[in-house]
Amino acid sequence: PGGIATGVWVGDTYYLSGQLPSPSKAADRATNTPAVWGNTNEQADNAFQKVAAGLKEQGLGMGDVVMMRVYMVGVPSLDGKMDSAGMNEAYRTFFGTPEQPNKPARATVQVAALGSPTTLVEIEVQAVKKR
């Protein structure tokens, strides 16, 4: 709907577009209630699950990820700083585990805003198909 590809193959490399967390509770326009998104850890976990699902559709897994970019907004309770600890807690459940020991190269940057005022994290990856 946004006019972008979910992902693109270039040779053996798959570029998965940024994945935003899904709200745990949808917005209610009738009562002007915003969507509920959770904290950074919950949002990152949800975004990583969406990354895993997007890779699986292409015959890839989290162990195939070679590069990751994480975009985060500042959290008011942390004086406007990004919640790296919350994001890293979710990251460690998908990378560097006994089941999936690979860790990709990664950049994590703080941005002014993401898709909605309550979105705290967006994750994009590049994965390479093993030969």
Side-chain angles (χ1 to χ4, degrees), residues 40 70 72-75 78 80-85 108-111:
T40 301
V70 180
M72 298 174 64
V73 298
V75 179
L78 296 175
K81 296 179 182 143
M82 59 186 181
D83 181 8
S84 296
T108 303
V109 296
Q110 184 168 337
V111 296

Side-chain angles (χ1 to χ4, degrees), residues 38-118:
N39 62 28
T40 301
N41 176 263
E42 293 165 330
Q43 287 193 24
D45 182 74
N46 184 269
F48 280 125
Q49 288 178 41
K50 290 174 73 175
V51 166
L55 293 173
K56 186 176 180 181
E57 289 176 0
Q58 300 298 316
L60 298 164
M62 295 299 249
D64 297 313
V65 174
V66 296
M67 181 64 192
M68 173 185 303
R69 278 178 286 287
V70 180
Y71 305 98
M72 298 174 64
V73 298
V75 179
S77 64
L78 296 175
D79 294 324
K81 296 179 182 143
M82 59 186 181
D83 181 8
S84 296
M87 198 289 298
N88 283 326
E89 185 179 341
Y91 171 88
R92 286 190 296 270
T93 65
F94 292 89
F95 298 95
T97 67
E99 301 80 28
Q100 199 296 96
N102 296 337
K103 295 179 185 176
R106 185 177 101 190
T108 303
V109 296
Q110 184 168 337
V111 296
L114 289 166
S116 89
T118 57

